[in-house]
mmCIF file with all atom_site columns, all heavy atoms in Angstrom:
data_model
loop_
_atom_site.group_PDB
_atom_site.id
_atom_site.type_symbol
_atom_site.label_atom_id
_atom_site.label_alt_id
_atom_site.label_comp_id
_atom_site.label_asym_id
_atom_site.label_entity_id
_atom_site.label_seq_id
_atom_site.pdbx_PDB_ins_code
_atom_site.Cartn_x
_atom_site.Cartn_y
_atom_site.Cartn_z
_atom_site.occupancy
_atom_site.B_iso_or_equiv
_atom_site.pdbx_formal_charge
_atom_site.auth_seq_id
_atom_site.auth_comp_id
_atom_site.auth_asym_id
_atom_site.auth_atom_id
_atom_site.pdbx_PDB_model_num
ATOM 1   N N   . ARG A 1 1  ? -35.244 17.968  -25.452 1.00 0.00 ? 668 ARG A N   1
ATOM 2   C CA  . ARG A 1 1  ? -35.573 19.281  -26.037 1.00 0.00 ? 668 ARG A CA  1
ATOM 3   C C   . ARG A 1 1  ? -36.944 19.267  -26.704 1.00 0.00 ? 668 ARG A C   1
ATOM 4   O O   . ARG A 1 1  ? -37.561 20.316  -26.872 1.00 0.00 ? 668 ARG A O   1
ATOM 5   C CB  . ARG A 1 1  ? -34.492 19.699  -27.043 1.00 0.00 ? 668 ARG A CB  1
ATOM 6   C CG  . ARG A 1 1  ? -33.134 19.978  -26.401 1.00 0.00 ? 668 ARG A CG  1
ATOM 7   C CD  . ARG A 1 1  ? -32.163 20.641  -27.366 1.00 0.00 ? 668 ARG A CD  1
ATOM 8   N NE  . ARG A 1 1  ? -31.730 19.765  -28.443 1.00 0.00 ? 668 ARG A NE  1
ATOM 9   C CZ  . ARG A 1 1  ? -30.709 18.915  -28.365 1.00 0.00 ? 668 ARG A CZ  1
ATOM 10  N NH1 . ARG A 1 1  ? -30.010 18.821  -27.223 1.00 0.00 ? 668 ARG A NH1 1
ATOM 11  N NH2 . ARG A 1 1  ? -30.369 18.158  -29.394 1.00 0.00 ? 668 ARG A NH2 1
ATOM 12  N N   . ALA A 1 2  ? -37.420 18.079  -27.063 1.00 0.00 ? 669 ALA A N   1
ATOM 13  C CA  . ALA A 1 2  ? -38.739 17.928  -27.680 1.00 0.00 ? 669 ALA A CA  1
ATOM 14  C C   . ALA A 1 2  ? -39.807 17.589  -26.631 1.00 0.00 ? 669 ALA A C   1
ATOM 15  O O   . ALA A 1 2  ? -40.883 17.099  -26.978 1.00 0.00 ? 669 ALA A O   1
ATOM 16  C CB  . ALA A 1 2  ? -38.693 16.852  -28.752 1.00 0.00 ? 669 ALA A CB  1
ATOM 17  N N   . SER A 1 3  ? -39.496 17.842  -25.367 1.00 0.00 ? 670 SER A N   1
ATOM 18  C CA  . SER A 1 3  ? -40.432 17.688  -24.248 1.00 0.00 ? 670 SER A CA  1
ATOM 19  C C   . SER A 1 3  ? -40.738 16.236  -23.885 1.00 0.00 ? 670 SER A C   1
ATOM 20  O O   . SER A 1 3  ? -41.794 15.927  -23.350 1.00 0.00 ? 670 SER A O   1
ATOM 21  C CB  . SER A 1 3  ? -41.742 18.444  -24.528 1.00 0.00 ? 670 SER A CB  1
ATOM 22  O OG  . SER A 1 3  ? -41.500 19.817  -24.699 1.00 0.00 ? 670 SER A OG  1
ATOM 23  N N   . VAL A 1 4  ? -39.809 15.338  -24.185 1.00 0.00 ? 671 VAL A N   1
ATOM 24  C CA  . VAL A 1 4  ? -39.883 13.965  -23.671 1.00 0.00 ? 671 VAL A CA  1
ATOM 25  C C   . VAL A 1 4  ? -38.928 13.912  -22.485 1.00 0.00 ? 671 VAL A C   1
ATOM 26  O O   . VAL A 1 4  ? -37.712 13.944  -22.664 1.00 0.00 ? 671 VAL A O   1
ATOM 27  C CB  . VAL A 1 4  ? -39.476 12.938  -24.745 1.00 0.00 ? 671 VAL A CB  1
ATOM 28  C CG1 . VAL A 1 4  ? -39.460 11.535  -24.145 1.00 0.00 ? 671 VAL A CG1 1
ATOM 29  C CG2 . VAL A 1 4  ? -40.420 13.006  -25.937 1.00 0.00 ? 671 VAL A CG2 1
ATOM 30  N N   . PRO A 1 5  ? -39.435 13.837  -21.251 1.00 0.00 ? 672 PRO A N   1
ATOM 31  C CA  . PRO A 1 5  ? -38.571 14.031  -20.083 1.00 0.00 ? 672 PRO A CA  1
ATOM 32  C C   . PRO A 1 5  ? -37.684 12.861  -19.703 1.00 0.00 ? 672 PRO A C   1
ATOM 33  O O   . PRO A 1 5  ? -36.604 13.045  -19.149 1.00 0.00 ? 672 PRO A O   1
ATOM 34  C CB  . PRO A 1 5  ? -39.572 14.324  -18.964 1.00 0.00 ? 672 PRO A CB  1
ATOM 35  C CG  . PRO A 1 5  ? -40.822 13.617  -19.388 1.00 0.00 ? 672 PRO A CG  1
ATOM 36  C CD  . PRO A 1 5  ? -40.850 13.699  -20.881 1.00 0.00 ? 672 PRO A CD  1
ATOM 37  N N   . THR A 1 6  ? -38.141 11.637  -19.978 1.00 0.00 ? 673 THR A N   1
ATOM 38  C CA  . THR A 1 6  ? -37.443 10.455  -19.456 1.00 0.00 ? 673 THR A CA  1
ATOM 39  C C   . THR A 1 6  ? -37.414 9.353   -20.503 1.00 0.00 ? 673 THR A C   1
ATOM 40  O O   . THR A 1 6  ? -38.453 9.008   -21.066 1.00 0.00 ? 673 THR A O   1
ATOM 41  C CB  . THR A 1 6  ? -38.156 9.926   -18.196 1.00 0.00 ? 673 THR A CB  1
ATOM 42  O OG1 . THR A 1 6  ? -38.377 11.005  -17.286 1.00 0.00 ? 673 THR A OG1 1
ATOM 43  C CG2 . THR A 1 6  ? -37.320 8.865   -17.505 1.00 0.00 ? 673 THR A CG2 1
ATOM 44  N N   . VAL A 1 7  ? -36.233 8.788   -20.741 1.00 0.00 ? 674 VAL A N   1
ATOM 45  C CA  . VAL A 1 7  ? -36.079 7.737   -21.746 1.00 0.00 ? 674 VAL A CA  1
ATOM 46  C C   . VAL A 1 7  ? -35.330 6.557   -21.117 1.00 0.00 ? 674 VAL A C   1
ATOM 47  O O   . VAL A 1 7  ? -34.334 6.741   -20.419 1.00 0.00 ? 674 VAL A O   1
ATOM 48  C CB  . VAL A 1 7  ? -35.296 8.248   -22.980 1.00 0.00 ? 674 VAL A CB  1
ATOM 49  C CG1 . VAL A 1 7  ? -35.141 7.141   -24.018 1.00 0.00 ? 674 VAL A CG1 1
ATOM 50  C CG2 . VAL A 1 7  ? -35.998 9.462   -23.589 1.00 0.00 ? 674 VAL A CG2 1
ATOM 51  N N   . GLY A 1 8  ? -35.819 5.353   -21.373 1.00 0.00 ? 675 GLY A N   1
ATOM 52  C CA  . GLY A 1 8  ? -35.169 4.161   -20.859 1.00 0.00 ? 675 GLY A CA  1
ATOM 53  C C   . GLY A 1 8  ? -34.442 3.404   -21.958 1.00 0.00 ? 675 GLY A C   1
ATOM 54  O O   . GLY A 1 8  ? -34.927 3.322   -23.087 1.00 0.00 ? 675 GLY A O   1
ATOM 55  N N   . VAL A 1 9  ? -33.283 2.857   -21.633 1.00 0.00 ? 676 VAL A N   1
ATOM 56  C CA  . VAL A 1 9  ? -32.503 2.055   -22.585 1.00 0.00 ? 676 VAL A CA  1
ATOM 57  C C   . VAL A 1 9  ? -32.061 0.782   -21.874 1.00 0.00 ? 676 VAL A C   1
ATOM 58  O O   . VAL A 1 9  ? -31.496 0.841   -20.779 1.00 0.00 ? 676 VAL A O   1
ATOM 59  C CB  . VAL A 1 9  ? -31.276 2.820   -23.115 1.00 0.00 ? 676 VAL A CB  1
ATOM 60  C CG1 . VAL A 1 9  ? -30.557 1.985   -24.173 1.00 0.00 ? 676 VAL A CG1 1
ATOM 61  C CG2 . VAL A 1 9  ? -31.679 4.172   -23.696 1.00 0.00 ? 676 VAL A CG2 1
ATOM 62  N N   . PHE A 1 10 ? -32.290 -0.359  -22.514 1.00 0.00 ? 677 PHE A N   1
ATOM 63  C CA  . PHE A 1 10 ? -32.065 -1.642  -21.862 1.00 0.00 ? 677 PHE A CA  1
ATOM 64  C C   . PHE A 1 10 ? -31.411 -2.633  -22.822 1.00 0.00 ? 677 PHE A C   1
ATOM 65  O O   . PHE A 1 10 ? -31.568 -2.549  -24.036 1.00 0.00 ? 677 PHE A O   1
ATOM 66  C CB  . PHE A 1 10 ? -33.396 -2.228  -21.372 1.00 0.00 ? 677 PHE A CB  1
ATOM 67  C CG  . PHE A 1 10 ? -34.290 -1.224  -20.706 1.00 0.00 ? 677 PHE A CG  1
ATOM 68  C CD1 . PHE A 1 10 ? -35.282 -0.567  -21.433 1.00 0.00 ? 677 PHE A CD1 1
ATOM 69  C CD2 . PHE A 1 10 ? -34.130 -0.905  -19.369 1.00 0.00 ? 677 PHE A CD2 1
ATOM 70  C CE1 . PHE A 1 10 ? -36.105 0.376   -20.829 1.00 0.00 ? 677 PHE A CE1 1
ATOM 71  C CE2 . PHE A 1 10 ? -34.950 0.034   -18.757 1.00 0.00 ? 677 PHE A CE2 1
ATOM 72  C CZ  . PHE A 1 10 ? -35.937 0.683   -19.484 1.00 0.00 ? 677 PHE A CZ  1
ATOM 73  N N   . LYS A 1 11 ? -30.702 -3.608  -22.223 1.00 0.00 ? 678 LYS A N   1
ATOM 74  C CA  . LYS A 1 11 ? -30.076 -4.673  -23.002 1.00 0.00 ? 678 LYS A CA  1
ATOM 75  C C   . LYS A 1 11 ? -30.404 -6.017  -22.351 1.00 0.00 ? 678 LYS A C   1
ATOM 76  O O   . LYS A 1 11 ? -30.561 -6.101  -21.128 1.00 0.00 ? 678 LYS A O   1
ATOM 77  C CB  . LYS A 1 11 ? -28.561 -4.476  -23.061 1.00 0.00 ? 678 LYS A CB  1
ATOM 78  C CG  . LYS A 1 11 ? -28.151 -3.190  -23.787 1.00 0.00 ? 678 LYS A CG  1
ATOM 79  C CD  . LYS A 1 11 ? -26.639 -3.038  -23.863 1.00 0.00 ? 678 LYS A CD  1
ATOM 80  C CE  . LYS A 1 11 ? -26.253 -1.745  -24.574 1.00 0.00 ? 678 LYS A CE  1
ATOM 81  N NZ  . LYS A 1 11 ? -24.785 -1.583  -24.697 1.00 0.00 ? 678 LYS A NZ  1
ATOM 82  N N   . PRO A 1 12 ? -30.509 -7.083  -23.159 1.00 0.00 ? 679 PRO A N   1
ATOM 83  C CA  . PRO A 1 12 ? -30.810 -8.406  -22.600 1.00 0.00 ? 679 PRO A CA  1
ATOM 84  C C   . PRO A 1 12 ? -29.750 -8.853  -21.603 1.00 0.00 ? 679 PRO A C   1
ATOM 85  O O   . PRO A 1 12 ? -28.574 -8.473  -21.702 1.00 0.00 ? 679 PRO A O   1
ATOM 86  C CB  . PRO A 1 12 ? -30.815 -9.316  -23.835 1.00 0.00 ? 679 PRO A CB  1
ATOM 87  C CG  . PRO A 1 12 ? -31.078 -8.395  -24.990 1.00 0.00 ? 679 PRO A CG  1
ATOM 88  C CD  . PRO A 1 12 ? -30.420 -7.101  -24.628 1.00 0.00 ? 679 PRO A CD  1
ATOM 89  N N   . VAL A 1 13 ? -30.170 -9.663  -20.635 1.00 0.00 ? 680 VAL A N   1
ATOM 90  C CA  . VAL A 1 13 ? -29.232 -10.217 -19.661 1.00 0.00 ? 680 VAL A CA  1
ATOM 91  C C   . VAL A 1 13 ? -28.279 -11.190 -20.363 1.00 0.00 ? 680 VAL A C   1
ATOM 92  O O   . VAL A 1 13 ? -28.546 -11.673 -21.466 1.00 0.00 ? 680 VAL A O   1
ATOM 93  C CB  . VAL A 1 13 ? -29.972 -10.943 -18.519 1.00 0.00 ? 680 VAL A CB  1
ATOM 94  C CG1 . VAL A 1 13 ? -30.835 -9.971  -17.735 1.00 0.00 ? 680 VAL A CG1 1
ATOM 95  C CG2 . VAL A 1 13 ? -30.814 -12.095 -19.058 1.00 0.00 ? 680 VAL A CG2 1
ATOM 96  N N   . GLU A 1 14 ? -27.166 -11.481 -19.706 1.00 0.00 ? 681 GLU A N   1
ATOM 97  C CA  . GLU A 1 14 ? -26.097 -12.273 -20.308 1.00 0.00 ? 681 GLU A CA  1
ATOM 98  C C   . GLU A 1 14 ? -26.542 -13.667 -20.735 1.00 0.00 ? 681 GLU A C   1
ATOM 99  O O   . GLU A 1 14 ? -26.008 -14.229 -21.703 1.00 0.00 ? 681 GLU A O   1
ATOM 100 C CB  . GLU A 1 14 ? -24.929 -12.381 -19.323 1.00 0.00 ? 681 GLU A CB  1
ATOM 101 C CG  . GLU A 1 14 ? -24.242 -11.058 -19.011 1.00 0.00 ? 681 GLU A CG  1
ATOM 102 C CD  . GLU A 1 14 ? -24.986 -10.215 -17.974 1.00 0.00 ? 681 GLU A CD  1
ATOM 103 O OE1 . GLU A 1 14 ? -26.094 -10.629 -17.547 1.00 0.00 ? 681 GLU A OE1 1
ATOM 104 O OE2 . GLU A 1 14 ? -24.475 -9.154  -17.595 1.00 0.00 ? 681 GLU A OE2 1
ATOM 105 N N   . SER A 1 15 ? -27.514 -14.245 -20.040 1.00 0.00 ? 682 SER A N   1
ATOM 106 C CA  . SER A 1 15 ? -27.958 -15.605 -20.343 1.00 0.00 ? 682 SER A CA  1
ATOM 107 C C   . SER A 1 15 ? -28.958 -15.670 -21.499 1.00 0.00 ? 682 SER A C   1
ATOM 108 O O   . SER A 1 15 ? -29.295 -16.760 -21.974 1.00 0.00 ? 682 SER A O   1
ATOM 109 C CB  . SER A 1 15 ? -28.598 -16.236 -19.101 1.00 0.00 ? 682 SER A CB  1
ATOM 110 O OG  . SER A 1 15 ? -29.692 -15.445 -18.646 1.00 0.00 ? 682 SER A OG  1
ATOM 111 N N   . ASP A 1 16 ? -29.427 -14.518 -21.976 1.00 0.00 ? 683 ASP A N   1
ATOM 112 C CA  . ASP A 1 16 ? -30.408 -14.493 -23.063 1.00 0.00 ? 683 ASP A CA  1
ATOM 113 C C   . ASP A 1 16 ? -29.733 -14.757 -24.405 1.00 0.00 ? 683 ASP A C   1
ATOM 114 O O   . ASP A 1 16 ? -28.599 -14.321 -24.637 1.00 0.00 ? 683 ASP A O   1
ATOM 115 C CB  . ASP A 1 16 ? -31.119 -13.137 -23.095 1.00 0.00 ? 683 ASP A CB  1
ATOM 116 C CG  . ASP A 1 16 ? -32.367 -13.153 -23.963 1.00 0.00 ? 683 ASP A CG  1
ATOM 117 O OD1 . ASP A 1 16 ? -32.221 -13.099 -25.199 1.00 0.00 ? 683 ASP A OD1 1
ATOM 118 O OD2 . ASP A 1 16 ? -33.467 -13.211 -23.404 1.00 0.00 ? 683 ASP A OD2 1
ATOM 119 N N   . SER A 1 17 ? -30.443 -15.424 -25.306 1.00 0.00 ? 684 SER A N   1
ATOM 120 C CA  . SER A 1 17 ? -29.877 -15.737 -26.625 1.00 0.00 ? 684 SER A CA  1
ATOM 121 C C   . SER A 1 17 ? -29.642 -14.490 -27.473 1.00 0.00 ? 684 SER A C   1
ATOM 122 O O   . SER A 1 17 ? -28.871 -14.525 -28.433 1.00 0.00 ? 684 SER A O   1
ATOM 123 C CB  . SER A 1 17 ? -30.804 -16.690 -27.380 1.00 0.00 ? 684 SER A CB  1
ATOM 124 O OG  . SER A 1 17 ? -32.078 -16.101 -27.588 1.00 0.00 ? 684 SER A OG  1
ATOM 125 N N   . THR A 1 18 ? -30.297 -13.377 -27.107 1.00 0.00 ? 685 THR A N   1
ATOM 126 C CA  . THR A 1 18 ? -30.112 -12.131 -27.860 1.00 0.00 ? 685 THR A CA  1
ATOM 127 C C   . THR A 1 18 ? -29.101 -11.192 -27.199 1.00 0.00 ? 685 THR A C   1
ATOM 128 O O   . THR A 1 18 ? -28.957 -10.043 -27.632 1.00 0.00 ? 685 THR A O   1
ATOM 129 C CB  . THR A 1 18 ? -31.459 -11.386 -28.023 1.00 0.00 ? 685 THR A CB  1
ATOM 130 O OG1 . THR A 1 18 ? -31.960 -11.025 -26.723 1.00 0.00 ? 685 THR A OG1 1
ATOM 131 C CG2 . THR A 1 18 ? -32.476 -12.254 -28.738 1.00 0.00 ? 685 THR A CG2 1
ATOM 132 N N   . TYR A 1 19 ? -28.433 -11.681 -26.154 1.00 0.00 ? 686 TYR A N   1
ATOM 133 C CA  . TYR A 1 19 ? -27.417 -10.853 -25.493 1.00 0.00 ? 686 TYR A CA  1
ATOM 134 C C   . TYR A 1 19 ? -26.345 -10.450 -26.513 1.00 0.00 ? 686 TYR A C   1
ATOM 135 O O   . TYR A 1 19 ? -25.847 -11.270 -27.280 1.00 0.00 ? 686 TYR A O   1
ATOM 136 C CB  . TYR A 1 19 ? -26.770 -11.624 -24.348 1.00 0.00 ? 686 TYR A CB  1
ATOM 137 C CG  . TYR A 1 19 ? -25.621 -10.879 -23.684 1.00 0.00 ? 686 TYR A CG  1
ATOM 138 C CD1 . TYR A 1 19 ? -25.855 -9.770  -22.886 1.00 0.00 ? 686 TYR A CD1 1
ATOM 139 C CD2 . TYR A 1 19 ? -24.310 -11.305 -23.863 1.00 0.00 ? 686 TYR A CD2 1
ATOM 140 C CE1 . TYR A 1 19 ? -24.814 -9.092  -22.278 1.00 0.00 ? 686 TYR A CE1 1
ATOM 141 C CE2 . TYR A 1 19 ? -23.254 -10.642 -23.255 1.00 0.00 ? 686 TYR A CE2 1
ATOM 142 C CZ  . TYR A 1 19 ? -23.514 -9.527  -22.468 1.00 0.00 ? 686 TYR A CZ  1
ATOM 143 O OH  . TYR A 1 19 ? -22.478 -8.852  -21.876 1.00 0.00 ? 686 TYR A OH  1
ATOM 144 N N   . GLY A 1 20 ? -25.983 -9.162  -26.507 1.00 0.00 ? 687 GLY A N   1
ATOM 145 C CA  . GLY A 1 20 ? -24.999 -8.664  -27.459 1.00 0.00 ? 687 GLY A CA  1
ATOM 146 C C   . GLY A 1 20 ? -25.547 -8.506  -28.861 1.00 0.00 ? 687 GLY A C   1
ATOM 147 O O   . GLY A 1 20 ? -24.776 -8.290  -29.811 1.00 0.00 ? 687 GLY A O   1
ATOM 148 N N   . LYS A 1 21 ? -26.901 -8.546  -28.995 1.00 0.00 ? 688 LYS A N   1
ATOM 149 C CA  . LYS A 1 21 ? -27.514 -8.448  -30.319 1.00 0.00 ? 688 LYS A CA  1
ATOM 150 C C   . LYS A 1 21 ? -28.657 -7.443  -30.401 1.00 0.00 ? 688 LYS A C   1
ATOM 151 O O   . LYS A 1 21 ? -29.099 -7.093  -31.486 1.00 0.00 ? 688 LYS A O   1
ATOM 152 C CB  . LYS A 1 21 ? -28.046 -9.816  -30.759 1.00 0.00 ? 688 LYS A CB  1
ATOM 153 C CG  . LYS A 1 21 ? -26.988 -10.903 -30.874 1.00 0.00 ? 688 LYS A CG  1
ATOM 154 C CD  . LYS A 1 21 ? -27.618 -12.239 -31.219 1.00 0.00 ? 688 LYS A CD  1
ATOM 155 C CE  . LYS A 1 21 ? -26.569 -13.343 -31.278 1.00 0.00 ? 688 LYS A CE  1
ATOM 156 N NZ  . LYS A 1 21 ? -27.175 -14.672 -31.564 1.00 0.00 ? 688 LYS A NZ  1
ATOM 157 N N   . ARG A 1 22 ? -29.136 -6.979  -29.236 1.00 0.00 ? 689 ARG A N   1
ATOM 158 C CA  . ARG A 1 22 ? -30.294 -6.075  -29.244 1.00 0.00 ? 689 ARG A CA  1
ATOM 159 C C   . ARG A 1 22 ? -30.154 -4.977  -28.190 1.00 0.00 ? 689 ARG A C   1
ATOM 160 O O   . ARG A 1 22 ? -29.543 -5.175  -27.144 1.00 0.00 ? 689 ARG A O   1
ATOM 161 C CB  . ARG A 1 22 ? -31.591 -6.844  -28.977 1.00 0.00 ? 689 ARG A CB  1
ATOM 162 C CG  . ARG A 1 22 ? -32.024 -7.752  -30.103 1.00 0.00 ? 689 ARG A CG  1
ATOM 163 C CD  . ARG A 1 22 ? -33.366 -8.378  -29.792 1.00 0.00 ? 689 ARG A CD  1
ATOM 164 N NE  . ARG A 1 22 ? -33.756 -9.328  -30.817 1.00 0.00 ? 689 ARG A NE  1
ATOM 165 C CZ  . ARG A 1 22 ? -34.850 -10.072 -30.774 1.00 0.00 ? 689 ARG A CZ  1
ATOM 166 N NH1 . ARG A 1 22 ? -35.667 -9.971  -29.735 1.00 0.00 ? 689 ARG A NH1 1
ATOM 167 N NH2 . ARG A 1 22 ? -35.127 -10.917 -31.752 1.00 0.00 ? 689 ARG A NH2 1
ATOM 168 N N   . ILE A 1 23 ? -30.780 -3.850  -28.481 1.00 0.00 ? 690 ILE A N   1
ATOM 169 C CA  . ILE A 1 23 ? -30.939 -2.748  -27.538 1.00 0.00 ? 690 ILE A CA  1
ATOM 170 C C   . ILE A 1 23 ? -32.399 -2.325  -27.591 1.00 0.00 ? 690 ILE A C   1
ATOM 171 O O   . ILE A 1 23 ? -32.969 -2.154  -28.677 1.00 0.00 ? 690 ILE A O   1
ATOM 172 C CB  . ILE A 1 23 ? -30.029 -1.554  -27.882 1.00 0.00 ? 690 ILE A CB  1
ATOM 173 C CG1 . ILE A 1 23 ? -28.551 -1.925  -27.708 1.00 0.00 ? 690 ILE A CG1 1
ATOM 174 C CG2 . ILE A 1 23 ? -30.375 -0.342  -27.003 1.00 0.00 ? 690 ILE A CG2 1
ATOM 175 C CD1 . ILE A 1 23 ? -27.592 -0.820  -28.107 1.00 0.00 ? 690 ILE A CD1 1
ATOM 176 N N   . TYR A 1 24 ? -33.017 -2.150  -26.412 1.00 0.00 ? 691 TYR A N   1
ATOM 177 C CA  . TYR A 1 24 ? -34.413 -1.740  -26.304 1.00 0.00 ? 691 TYR A CA  1
ATOM 178 C C   . TYR A 1 24 ? -34.474 -0.303  -25.784 1.00 0.00 ? 691 TYR A C   1
ATOM 179 O O   . TYR A 1 24 ? -33.805 0.029   -24.804 1.00 0.00 ? 691 TYR A O   1
ATOM 180 C CB  . TYR A 1 24 ? -35.165 -2.651  -25.339 1.00 0.00 ? 691 TYR A CB  1
ATOM 181 C CG  . TYR A 1 24 ? -35.329 -4.078  -25.835 1.00 0.00 ? 691 TYR A CG  1
ATOM 182 C CD1 . TYR A 1 24 ? -34.256 -4.980  -25.777 1.00 0.00 ? 691 TYR A CD1 1
ATOM 183 C CD2 . TYR A 1 24 ? -36.531 -4.522  -26.354 1.00 0.00 ? 691 TYR A CD2 1
ATOM 184 C CE1 . TYR A 1 24 ? -34.397 -6.290  -26.236 1.00 0.00 ? 691 TYR A CE1 1
ATOM 185 C CE2 . TYR A 1 24 ? -36.681 -5.829  -26.807 1.00 0.00 ? 691 TYR A CE2 1
ATOM 186 C CZ  . TYR A 1 24 ? -35.617 -6.701  -26.749 1.00 0.00 ? 691 TYR A CZ  1
ATOM 187 O OH  . TYR A 1 24 ? -35.749 -7.987  -27.207 1.00 0.00 ? 691 TYR A OH  1
ATOM 188 N N   . VAL A 1 25 ? -35.284 0.514   -26.431 1.00 0.00 ? 692 VAL A N   1
ATOM 189 C CA  . VAL A 1 25 ? -35.450 1.906   -26.019 1.00 0.00 ? 692 VAL A CA  1
ATOM 190 C C   . VAL A 1 25 ? -36.929 2.160   -25.727 1.00 0.00 ? 692 VAL A C   1
ATOM 191 O O   . VAL A 1 25 ? -37.796 1.827   -26.546 1.00 0.00 ? 692 VAL A O   1
ATOM 192 C CB  . VAL A 1 25 ? -34.963 2.886   -27.110 1.00 0.00 ? 692 VAL A CB  1
ATOM 193 C CG1 . VAL A 1 25 ? -35.052 4.332   -26.614 1.00 0.00 ? 692 VAL A CG1 1
ATOM 194 C CG2 . VAL A 1 25 ? -33.538 2.550   -27.537 1.00 0.00 ? 692 VAL A CG2 1
ATOM 195 N N   . LEU A 1 26 ? -37.227 2.728   -24.556 1.00 0.00 ? 693 LEU A N   1
ATOM 196 C CA  . LEU A 1 26 ? -38.599 3.048   -24.161 1.00 0.00 ? 693 LEU A CA  1
ATOM 197 C C   . LEU A 1 26 ? -38.757 4.567   -24.144 1.00 0.00 ? 693 LEU A C   1
ATOM 198 O O   . LEU A 1 26 ? -38.103 5.258   -23.363 1.00 0.00 ? 693 LEU A O   1
ATOM 199 C CB  . LEU A 1 26 ? -38.904 2.462   -22.787 1.00 0.00 ? 693 LEU A CB  1
ATOM 200 C CG  . LEU A 1 26 ? -40.267 2.808   -22.168 1.00 0.00 ? 693 LEU A CG  1
ATOM 201 C CD1 . LEU A 1 26 ? -41.408 2.316   -23.045 1.00 0.00 ? 693 LEU A CD1 1
ATOM 202 C CD2 . LEU A 1 26 ? -40.377 2.216   -20.758 1.00 0.00 ? 693 LEU A CD2 1
ATOM 203 N N   . ILE A 1 27 ? -39.634 5.062   -25.031 1.00 0.00 ? 694 ILE A N   1
ATOM 204 C CA  . ILE A 1 27 ? -39.846 6.507   -25.165 1.00 0.00 ? 694 ILE A CA  1
ATOM 205 C C   . ILE A 1 27 ? -41.308 6.823   -24.851 1.00 0.00 ? 694 ILE A C   1
ATOM 206 O O   . ILE A 1 27 ? -42.208 6.360   -25.563 1.00 0.00 ? 694 ILE A O   1
ATOM 207 C CB  . ILE A 1 27 ? -39.518 6.995   -26.587 1.00 0.00 ? 694 ILE A CB  1
ATOM 208 C CG1 . ILE A 1 27 ? -38.107 6.535   -27.001 1.00 0.00 ? 694 ILE A CG1 1
ATOM 209 C CG2 . ILE A 1 27 ? -39.637 8.515   -26.681 1.00 0.00 ? 694 ILE A CG2 1
ATOM 210 C CD1 . ILE A 1 27 ? -37.782 6.808   -28.468 1.00 0.00 ? 694 ILE A CD1 1
#
């Protein structure tokens, strides 16, 4: 609604030490 058309959301792969601990958002 604020004219940002596309947003990405990602999580570390299972083998990463931060798996289950981080979420990445690309705006």
Side-chain angles (χ1 to χ4, degrees):
R668 293 191 291 274
S670 300
V671 176
T673 310
V674 180
V676 184
F677 316 95
K678 296 181 181 182
V680 297
E681 295 80 356
S682 58
D683 194 282
S684 61
T685 62
Y686 175 71
K688 299 176 182 178
R689 290 185 184 177
I690 294 177
Y691 293 77
V692 184
L693 175 61
I694 307 172

